[in-house]
Amino acid sequence: MARTALVVSAHSADFVWRCGGAIALHAEKGFEVTVICLSYGERGESAKLWRLPGMTLDRVKQAREAEARKAATALGVHDIQFWDLGDYPINLTEAAFFRLVDVYRAIHPEFMLTHSKDDIYNHDHPTVSAWAQNARITAQAHGHNPGQKVLGAPPVFLFEPHQPEQCNWKPDVLLDIGSVWAKKRAAIECMEGQEHLWEYYTRVAQQRGAQAARNSDKKIVWGEGYQSVFPHVVETLS
């Protein structure tokens, strides 16, 4: 059985900026990474597209999906899904909740990545974080669809919000993404609707790389930061 991982992304670009390195790194290691984009970010994160003459909601969605699919290919994503649950605000329905529970049980991810617990600038993000973690709990419940194999205890890592200092987010996991930085940068450049963020997230990767180097004996240039939700269970402290 293939090793798997799950990314729950509120909007179609979030997985690129915030965990593209982790996706590419694990894809190279043979993981089948599933990315679920709950929204296209069609209202709040597509300003460049809305400035074009004659733009419509459907055309914005189509453009954002095309960008995200291209980025997913660059990163080696195994399966990317677009659930179109609305944007600003996102509409997390009961049907979508149990659909996510089914995904957990279908792929049994070894780890899951999603948004920070707080984000005062975008309430879709923490809403999705709590919702995705709640679905994980339901997927672990023996009384939910008893004929299915229940989910184990995959660790959950919360990726970096746009302004971490304002969102009570502090990384306790620093990931070296140097070997796949070129793939992440290529994926970033696929997101043409938010070109203003390309250099910002390049600087974020350099900053996290510098912090990772400072906290290790390794020469690290490019990194990503994560906040773990649960304790790490290890067999050695070395």
Side-chain angles (χ1 to χ4, degrees):
M1 184 176 179
R3 306 185 74 182
T4 59
L6 176 63
V7 179
V8 180
S9 179
H11 309 102
S12 61
D14 289 326
F15 76 94
V16 179
W17 319 124
R18 308 180 196 287
C19 64
I23 292 170
L25 191 68
H26 287 84
E28 285 194 354
K29 295 179 181 293
F31 279 72
E32 294 183 351
V33 182
T34 296
V35 175
I36 297 175
C37 297
L38 298 172
S39 164
Y40 293 107
E42 64 269 18
R43 290 193 176 92
E45 300 184 358
S46 302
K48 181 180 177 181
L49 292 170
W50 281 113
R51 294 189 187 104
L52 299 176
M55 186 54 63
T56 66
L57 187 63
D58 284 343
R59 286 178 59 197
V60 170
K61 289 181 179 182
Q62 291 168 8
R64 295 318 303 268
E65 179 173 337
E67 292 173 359
R69 287 193 182 277
K70 188 176 179 182
T73 298
L75 296 172
V77 170
H78 174 71
D79 179 27
I80 184 166
Q81 302 177 21
F82 299 89
W83 289 13
D84 194 12
L85 298 181
D87 182 39
Y88 279 44
I90 198 166
N91 183 23
L92 301 175
T93 64
E94 182 179 278
F97 178 85
F98 287 111
R99 183 181 177 185
L100 182 57
V101 173
D102 287 341
V103 170
Y104 275 112
R105 287 194 171 179
I107 69 172
H108 284 262
E110 291 192 29
F111 64 89
M112 191 271 276
L113 307 176
T114 194
H115 292 270
S116 58
K117 294 179 181 179
D118 297 313
D119 191 333
I120 61 175
Y121 301 100
N122 191 321
H123 287 198
D124 284 356
H125 293 165
T127 299
V128 165
S129 181
W131 184 81
Q133 292 184 65
N134 194 19
R136 173 186 177 276
I137 293 170
T138 299
Q140 293 174 308
H142 288 266
H144 175 74
N145 289 345
Q148 295 178 336
K149 180 182 177 182
V150 300
L151 183 70
V156 178
F157 299 98
L158 309 181
F159 38 62
E160 183 163 355
H162 188 67
Q163 298 192 48
E165 297 87 352
Q166 308 303 318
C167 300
N168 299 315
W169 182 91
K170 182 179 179 181
D172 54 20
V173 176
L174 296 169
L175 183 67
D176 179 1
I177 63 167
S179 63
V180 294
W181 167 248
K183 290 185 177 182
K184 178 167 182 177
R185 177 67 196 203
I188 285 173
E189 293 183 10
C190 293
M191 310 312 293
E192 297 179 7
Q194 292 176 281
E195 188 176 352
H196 63 288
L197 293 178
W198 293 6
E199 296 309 318
Y200 175 86
Y201 280 103
T202 296
R203 294 193 300 272
V204 169
Q206 289 176 313
Q207 176 68 9
R208 296 305 174 204
Q211 290 176 336
R214 182 71 183 270
N215 285 276
S216 70
D217 295 326
K218 301 176 182 180
K219 184 178 181 181
I220 300 174
V221 178
W222 304 99
E224 285 177 345
Y226 296 90
Q227 187 177 58
S228 58
V229 174
F230 301 102
H232 296 278
V233 180
V234 299
E235 295 182 358
T236 175
L237 295 179
S238 63

